[in-house]
Structure formats: structure tokens, C-alpha cells
Amino acid sequence: MIADSGIEQDGKVASGDEPSSKAPPRRMLAAPPPLAPELPPASREGLPFLTIVAIGVLAGLAHLTGAPTFITIGLLVTGLGGLAMHLRNRKIERRTAALLDETAARSRAEIETLADRMWEMQESEERFRGLIDALGDLVVHRDRDGHIVYANKVFASLVDVDQRNLAGKTLSELGIDVGIVPDAAFSDHECLSSTDVAIRTPNGPRWFSWIELSVRDRDTGAVSHRAIARDITARKRAESSLITARERAEYASQAKSRFLATVSHEIRTPMNGIMGMAKLLADTDLSPEQRTYVGAVSTSASALLALIEDLLDYSKIEAGRFDPEPQPTSLREIADNIIELMAAKAFSKNIGLGCHVEPDVPQMITADPGRVRQVLLNLIGNAVKFTDAGGVLLTVARARTESTDRICFTIADTGPGLREEDMERIFEEFEQSDGTSTRVHGGAGLGLAISKRLVNAMGGTVSVSSRLGEGSEFVFDIPATAATEPPQYRQSILSDRRAVIVSKNAVEADAIARTIRAHGGAVEIAATPEQAASFAASCNVLLVDAALENSDGRLLKRLRQSGFTDCEAITLIAPTDRGMLGEFRASGYATFLARPVRGETLLRVLLTSHVPAPAEPHPEPRGAASVRRRDQSLSVLIAEDNDINAMLARATLLKAGHRVKIVGNGKAAVEAVTDAGLKHRFDVVLMDLHMPVMDGLDAIAAIRRHEEAMAVPPIPIMVLSADSQEKTRHSVLAHGASGFVTKPLDPDALVQAVEGQVAA
């Protein structure tokens, strides 16, 4: 029987020490009682000896009484045999007793060891359960049907149920939504599952990370589900707080975006009037003093607009909302458009501006055109601003290896250059190459910082190399993703052209020469007629800078006399020299190229020039057949609710020789287009984006529906907006617009955009 050591036996404590109140009682196994009472040792040993003596006495009496001899011998033999048997039995008894004593001692030791192990196991289990309870984790053991077999004190305290009453209950009865893993889930004898569960408690709901091991016994097939759960209420509350904070931040970011768009629109609208009217005023008859004042107004307005653009862009970057928007992009078109846009600033400083795109540059790649355009504007704008002599050249090339395919943009200028210590610093926010208070050029120092972040966001890099006094070269590259290869014939379409360029503008002449050579032609550059004379023998195309020519064509006559008799003459004119085209044609120039010369236009003009045709005709460059001139005036409808902007656009177009009608809202624009009919059809519509009664997008949609219903060709619709965000541009084009013009309006750019829509 099992007896506790702390219980009194025969009125005394079995152990000499007081029983501990902390440690559990140690259980010991007592020896079993004897089966029957034993004789005293003396009685067990004397009985066989007396029997032998009695047999010996009987043998003596038989001999004395004359009994037969065999009886006497038999009794003696019997006595001796009994004595031998007695001695043998005594020896066996001693061995048996020794063996029994040894076995009993061994059994007692084994029993005591087993009892110690059982006590240690019980003590370890209690310590483990105590440790789990101290950690605050829930421990639940369930059977196959989900009934609780065991649950620790922490669980019982949590659900406010006595621990002894938990056995047999299910978790659903206690309001805990944790199901049973189906048997099929642990066909390999075990399955570990986890979930987050909310448990209602008297102190409110608490969250626990519930991890459960479901096991099937290999032999019996019995299933048990043992779970341990840890309190994660604090983590859940932190996650909830983070989600709330993120939602608030996103809402604040959206509010900031709306604020920026509103501020941008509200600032651009009056800036459009200031810059546009100053431009128109500058084209009137002014005194030198008045012209100086008007120039100051234009310069100040342009500087303010550039600062506003940089601050808005920088705030977008800081808010993390400057993600690229990849789409099919024509790099040639972007490069030429940027050069044309910056030409006015370059020509006003009497410096050259050129662009050369290598023939192997893809026709299209997948990139963000707005971001590429913005980086080019920043870098080329900086180059023009800091260059006072010489010029700026943009080169677009392809750098392809076995593992990479990238497009490299190089902007080289002949400006003052940079010191070595300034090359990295200028890409930081609010940093400039000249940070002193006496610097010549202003600005916030954000353009290069914004450009670097934009290039990095597109997966590219930007760098600069420069030497003080020798100019600078900025290079950035972007991946040529989903590149559309250019036609192979482009590299030799000018193989029969031998051109001579007469110009003092080395930068623009070099850009034109690179384009001709890259497409198979030969070209020489001369700064004076005397230098050009040595190249006359093999020349069939002559390009002359209009800045060197007189109104009577004197320069061309000299060149004809020096050997350029049969060459077709092409003049290179600035936008301000368009009024002299008639005189140039009368002097012998066959056609003209507008500076800065677009690569595609140069190829088209050289291919259509009157020189001997090649043996095999080359395909016409893309877009060449679609370009046509419009000498007649255009009928333009302007939908603009701002009187100053409407007046600016009207004056600009009227000055360019076009007819203009103005309406004040989108509904009036729709009525004007739909009521005009085919005889008085507008050639172009300029549509403001934000107008009363009906906004620009709704008006465009209504016009497109009318055109579909009447089966008439669509009218080109140019959207006018002060919102310069790329997503706004994409949105209006997706709604049916033909183009997008950003305010403030540049008069020359507006005229080119309107005429370009009709010519395209």
C-alpha cells in the first residue's frame, strides 16, 4: 500500500524532519506482510537432528535385541541418509535465504527508485504548469469532439469558470470561436494551426494568438488537440492605432494634394495673365524704357512661376506621391519638344541650343513621359541659365550590353563649370553651386534635387562631370523597358547627301552635323563663306544660318560664286525671323529649317530636297507624310471663364491671323460646336478644364457624342489647365481631348499647338 511520509505511523512522525508545507508529500512503498507465522530458528534447526538421533537409538536397540543384521544396517543407513539430507537442506535453505534477501533488497531499491521518479515527474509537471500559469499563457487540451480535457488556471480565470468545472465543455459554450481541425488536415498524424481569436472577459474583450497542435495516435487512432495561446491585446491595439494613424495620414495627404492642386491652379491663373499680357505688350511699339520695364515684369513672373513649380514638386516628393506612371513614350518627340520650349530663353541670351538623337534609340519605350520631360527641363534650363556664351547640346543615345539596355541623356554646356567639391553638393535640397549672397543667378536650389529623386524613382542614375571654366556635362539614364526597335534603313537614308553648314553657332551646327552623319550623309561645318568655299566641290545641300544673311541674299550670292552653283540652299531661321521668309525665297533659298532644328524635320527636308534621287528610294520618315502647312487662317473656339486668360488667348491667335470666338462655360462651348454645322465648323477648340455650368471634361464628352451621332470627323480639342500634374494630362486625353496646354500660356507655344493640331 502507498503511504504518505508526512502521516503519523504508530503515533509518531515517520520522518525526523517536519513536513514541508511547500513541497508535495513524497510517497513511499512499504514491504508486504508475511503470508504465515514462522517457527523460531532454534525449532527449525532442532527437529531434524532429533529425528536422526532417534533413528540411531532404534538401530542400537535392534542390534542388542538380536534383530536381523539388515534391519540394523537399514536403520543406520536411514539415519546417515537423513543426516546427509539434513545437511544438504540446511545448505539449500541458507542459499535460498540469501537469494531471497538479495531479491528483496533489490526489489525494495527498485520500488524506491520508481517512487522517486514518479514524484520527480509529478513535481516537474507541477513546476511546468506553474511556469505556464506565471507566464499568463492559456493551455487547453481538447479531445476529438472538441470537449475540454484539461485547461489551466489562467484559462479558467479568464473565462471566470472554476477549473474543475471546465472538463467536458466546448469552447463555443464559453463564447470562444475556435473550431476543430478536421481529421483530414492531419492525415500525417499531426497538424499545427494558428489564428488570432478574441475572447470576451469580465474586463472586456482580449486578443490571443491561438496555436494548436492536433495529433492522431499511430497505434490507437485517438485524436487530441493541445493549444497554447498568448495574450496579444497590446499588439492588436497598436496595430489598430497604426491603421488609424495611416488612414489619417492618407486623408491628410489627400487633403494636401487637393490643396496643392487648388493653390497651383489659383496661382497659375493670374500668372497666366501677367506673363501673357507682358508678352503681348512687348510686341507693341514701346520706348526703350518701357521695354525694359516689360522685360522685368516677364523675368520676375517667370522666376516666380519656376519657384512655385519647384516647391510644389518638392512637397509631392516629401509626401511620397511622386510615383512614376509608365506608358509608351517617344523619346525623340520629348527631346525635340523640350529643345523647342527652351529655345526662346537660349536665343534671348544669344547662345546656341541643339539636340541629337542617335539612330539606334528605340522608337518607343515604356517610361513616365512627364517625369522624363521634367528632368530634361530642369537640367537644360539650368544649363541655359548658367551659359552666357557658346551653347547647350542635348544628346540621346542607347547604351546596351548583354544584361542591360538603357537610354542615356547627356546635357553638355559651355558655361563656367563646377568645382570638384560642388559636384555632389548641388544635388542636395536648397543647394546651389554658388551659395554666397552675391551670386549672380537666383533660384531655390531644388531643381537638381528633384531631378535626382525622379531619376532614381524611374530606376536610373544621374551624374555630373565638369572642370572649372570649361563647362559641365550632366548625364542621366533610364531603363529602355519594352523598347520598340527603330527601322534599320534610317541609318543610311542620307547616304547620297553631301551637306555644308555655314554658321557661327557651333553648338547647333554640330547637332545638325551629327544627325546627318548618323544617317549616312556627309557634312562639313564652316563659320565663314571663305571657309565654306573649300567644301563646294562635293556639296549638294547648303544650309546657311539666317543670322549671317542679308535681306537681299548677298551671302548666298557669294557662296554661289565660290562654287556652290548647283546646291539646293536651305536657310536656318530663328522664330523671330519668320517674317523674312518671303525675302529669303526671293533670294534663292528653296526652303527653311526653324531653329533649333528638329531631327525628324531635318531628315524630311533633306529627303525631299531637289537633288538627284538615289538608286533605291528610301522609305519616308515617320510622320513626314502627315506634316502639311496651313497658310489659311483657322477658326478657333475658346471656352474660358477667366476674362484675362480669354483675352490673352484671343489676342495671341488674332495676331497670328486666325479667327476667334469666345464662350464662358462648357455648355456654351457644346452649343457653339453643335449649332455651327459643317459650313461653319471650327478648326480647333481651346477648352478650359474648370468652368461654371459645365466643366471641360463634360463638354468634351458631349461634343464627342454629338460627333459620333452625326458621323462627322472629330474636332481637335486642346485642354487649357493650370493643373500640370501628369495624371491630369492623362485623364483629359482619356476623355477625348486631342492635346494639353499648361497655363501660364506662352503665346508662341499656343500658336504652335493650335496650328500643329490642324497640320497633324
Side-chain angles (χ1 to χ4, degrees):
M1 61 181 292
I2 305 297
D4 291 339
S5 61
I7 301 177
E8 294 185 359
Q9 299 176 357
D10 297 332
K12 296 182 180 180
V13 179
S15 176
D17 300 329
E18 291 294 333
S20 173
S21 60
K22 297 182 180 179
R26 181 174 179 180
R27 299 180 177 179
M28 300 184 63
L29 189 63
L35 298 177
E38 298 181 354
L39 294 175
S43 300
R44 292 199 308 267
E45 295 177 359
L47 184 59
F49 180 74
L50 293 176
T51 302
I52 295 171
V53 171
I55 293 174
V57 171
L58 290 176
L61 291 175
H63 179 70
L64 293 176
T65 56
T69 303
F70 70 90
I71 293 176
T72 302
I73 294 173
L75 289 174
L76 289 174
V77 171
T78 301
L80 292 174
L83 180 59
M85 288 291 294
H86 173 68
L87 294 176
R88 184 170 179 268
N89 288 339
R90 285 291 297 159
K91 185 176 181 181
I92 292 175
E93 285 179 1
R94 290 192 184 98
R95 290 182 179 178
T96 301
L99 182 61
L100 289 175
D101 289 343
E102 182 180 355
T103 302
R106 186 182 302 169
S107 299
R108 183 180 299 274
E110 291 177 354
I111 291 173
E112 289 178 354
T113 301
L114 179 61
D116 290 341
R117 290 180 179 176
M118 292 174 61
W119 176 78
E120 290 175 358
M121 291 175 61
Q122 180 182 1
E123 186 180 38
S124 298
E125 183 178 359
E126 291 179 357
R127 287 179 180 175
F128 176 74
R129 292 181 178 178
L131 178 61
I132 294 297
D133 291 342
L135 292 175
D137 292 342
L138 310 182
V139 177
V140 180
H141 178 198
R142 296 184 291 168
D143 60 13
R144 179 193 291 269
D145 300 324
H147 295 98
I148 295 176
V149 177
Y150 168 79
N152 66 342
K153 294 179 181 179
V154 179
F155 180 84
S157 176
L158 183 70
V159 299
D160 197 21
V161 177
D162 190 283
Q163 186 179 8
R164 293 169 295 181
N165 298 331
L166 288 174
K169 294 183 178 295
T170 62
L171 294 180
S172 59
E173 293 176 1
L174 301 174
I176 302 175
D177 186 17
V178 179
I180 292 294
V181 177
D183 290 358
F186 50 100
S187 57
D188 293 335
H189 308 294
E190 66 179 31
C191 174
L192 187 65
S193 58
S194 64
T195 185
D196 292 346
V197 61
I199 300 178
R200 294 189 299 271
T201 69
N203 296 325
R206 301 192 68 82
W207 282 90
F208 288 84
S209 176
W210 189 283
I211 301 176
E212 189 167 65
L213 179 64
S214 302
V215 180
R216 175 187 286 111
D217 188 86
R218 296 178 181 269
D219 299 328
T220 64
V223 174
S224 64
H225 306 277
R226 302 176 184 271
I228 184 169
R230 176 155 294 181
D231 193 335
I232 58 171
T233 305
R235 190 188 78 185
K236 282 290 185 179
R237 289 174 180 171
E239 291 176 356
S240 178
S241 299
L242 288 175
I243 293 174
T244 303
R246 184 185 64 188
E247 292 175 349
R248 289 178 179 176
E250 290 176 351
Y251 178 79
S253 178
Q254 294 173 359
K256 184 178 179 181
S257 178
R258 292 192 298 269
F259 172 76
L260 289 173
T262 303
V263 169
S264 173
H265 183 273
E266 295 301 324
I267 292 177
R268 287 170 182 270
T269 300
M271 287 295 298
N272 181 47
I274 295 172
M275 298 179 67
M277 290 303 171
K279 181 72 172 177
L280 292 178
L281 184 59
D283 294 337
T284 62
D285 294 331
L286 300 176
S287 66
E289 184 179 5
Q290 291 173 331
R291 193 169 298 279
T292 301
Y293 295 157
V294 172
V297 171
S298 298
T299 302
S300 299
S302 299
L304 179 59
L305 182 64
L307 177 61
I308 293 171
E309 292 284 356
D310 286 346
L311 291 176
L312 292 176
D313 289 341
Y314 184 71
S315 63
K316 291 177 184 178
I317 292 176
E318 290 299 307
R321 294 181 292 102
F322 235 68
D323 297 328
E325 300 177 7
Q327 58 183 288
T329 302
S330 172
L331 299 179
R332 288 180 172 83
E333 181 179 354
I334 289 178
D336 287 336
N337 289 342
I338 294 299
I339 292 299
E340 285 186 351
L341 184 61
M342 301 301 299
K345 292 183 179 180
F347 294 161
S348 67
K349 300 183 66 175
N350 198 26
I351 62 174
L353 183 61
C355 174
H356 169 60
V357 181
E358 294 287 349
D360 63 340
V361 171
Q363 291 289 94
M364 304 286 288
I365 67 169
T366 299
D368 189 327
R371 302 294 180 253
V372 175
R373 187 182 301 111
Q374 185 172 1
V375 174
L376 286 174
L377 278 173
N378 279 332
L379 296 180
I380 297 175
N382 275 350
V384 171
K385 180 171 67 172
F386 289 98
T387 301
D388 296 324
V392 178
L393 176 63
L394 168 63
T395 304
V396 184
R398 189 176 191 177
R400 182 161 44 178
T401 64
E402 294 181 357
S403 58
T404 62
D405 190 6
R406 307 184 74 82
I407 305 297
C408 295
F409 299 83
T410 304
I411 298 93
D413 63 65
T414 57
L418 296 169
R419 295 175 299 181
E420 186 173 355
E421 59 269 21
D422 293 333
M423 291 186 191
E424 290 297 330
R425 183 175 58 83
I426 59 175
F427 288 104
E428 301 298 327
E429 290 82 0
F430 307 104
E431 291 287 351
Q432 294 182 330
S433 59
D434 183 4
T436 65
S437 59
T438 59
R439 64 178 182 268
V440 177
H441 303 283
L446 288 174
L448 292 179
I450 293 172
S451 298
K452 182 177 181 179
R453 294 200 183 191
L454 290 179
V455 172
N456 291 339
M458 292 186 289
T461 59
V462 60
S463 62
V464 59
S465 60
S466 177
R467 295 185 65 180
L468 199 61
E470 298 183 8
S472 303
E473 186 176 272
F474 286 83
V475 179
F476 77 92
D477 63 80
I478 59 175
T481 306
T484 302
E485 298 299 329
Q488 293 295 325
Y489 68 82
R490 290 179 62 93
Q491 299 184 11
S492 59
I493 57 177
L494 299 180
S495 58
D496 61 334
R497 299 302 190 266
R498 301 293 182 267
V500 173
I501 304 172
V502 183
S503 174
K504 290 184 178 180
N505 195 316
V507 171
E508 291 189 22
D510 181 57
I512 296 173
R514 289 190 183 189
T515 301
I516 294 175
R517 293 190 185 108
H519 291 85
V523 62
E524 299 291 345
I525 300 175
T528 63
E530 292 75 17
Q531 293 178 2
S534 60
F535 307 125
S538 60
C539 175
N540 54 25
V541 177
L542 182 64
L543 294 92
V544 180
D545 190 347
L548 301 178
E549 184 60 278
N550 298 307
S551 59
D552 58 357
R554 191 179 310 167
L555 176 61
L556 181 58
K557 293 178 182 178
R558 290 177 56 188
L559 291 171
R560 295 293 191 194
Q561 295 173 357
S562 63
F564 294 96
T565 306
D566 299 327
C567 296
E568 182 176 21
I570 301 172
T571 182
L572 308 175
I573 66 170
T576 56
D577 298 330
R578 287 178 179 270
M580 299 177 62
L581 284 177
E583 298 176 357
F584 288 147
R585 285 196 177 96
S587 300
Y589 288 98
T591 186
F592 72 95
L593 286 170
R595 299 172 48 208
V597 178
R598 296 174 66 102
E600 295 296 313
T601 305
L602 174 64
L603 295 178
R604 175 175 59 83
V605 170
L606 293 181
L607 285 173
T608 57
S609 59
H610 297 289
V611 297
E616 295 183 3
H618 296 287
E620 195 174 21
R622 180 173 177 252
S626 64
V627 178
R628 61 187 179 90
R629 296 183 56 203
R630 288 291 301 259
D631 295 329
Q632 70 273 22
S633 63
L634 303 177
S635 177
V636 182
L637 174 65
I638 301 176
E640 173 64 74
D641 62 321
N642 186 281
D643 294 337
I644 296 178
N645 291 336
M647 182 171 59
L648 170 61
R650 179 178 179 274
T652 300
L653 295 174
L654 287 176
K655 187 176 179 180
H658 304 302
R659 305 183 306 276
V660 178
K661 179 179 180 179
I662 298 177
V663 295
N665 58 69
K667 183 178 180 182
V670 175
E671 293 173 352
V673 172
T674 56
D675 295 343
L678 295 178
K679 293 183 179 181
H680 303 286
R681 177 182 171 86
F682 292 102
D683 294 305
V684 180
V685 176
L686 297 179
M687 185 80 68
D688 186 27
L689 198 58
H690 302 290
M691 294 183 292
V693 183
M694 178 185 289
D695 66 11
L697 292 181
D698 292 338
I700 293 173
I703 292 173
R704 295 307 185 210
R705 288 195 298 269
H706 170 75
E707 292 169 342
E708 291 178 1
M710 300 300 295
V712 296
I715 298 176
I717 302 178
M718 300 284 293
V719 170
L720 305 177
S721 177
D723 188 353
S724 62
Q725 298 183 79
E726 194 68 25
K727 65 179 182 181
T728 304
R729 184 188 300 267
H730 296 167
S731 176
V732 299
L733 294 178
H735 276 77
S738 306
F740 189 93
V741 179
T742 304
K743 300 176 183 177
L745 296 175
D746 179 80
D748 293 336
L750 178 61
V751 173
Q752 291 179 7
V754 170
E755 295 177 350
Q757 285 294 319
V758 178

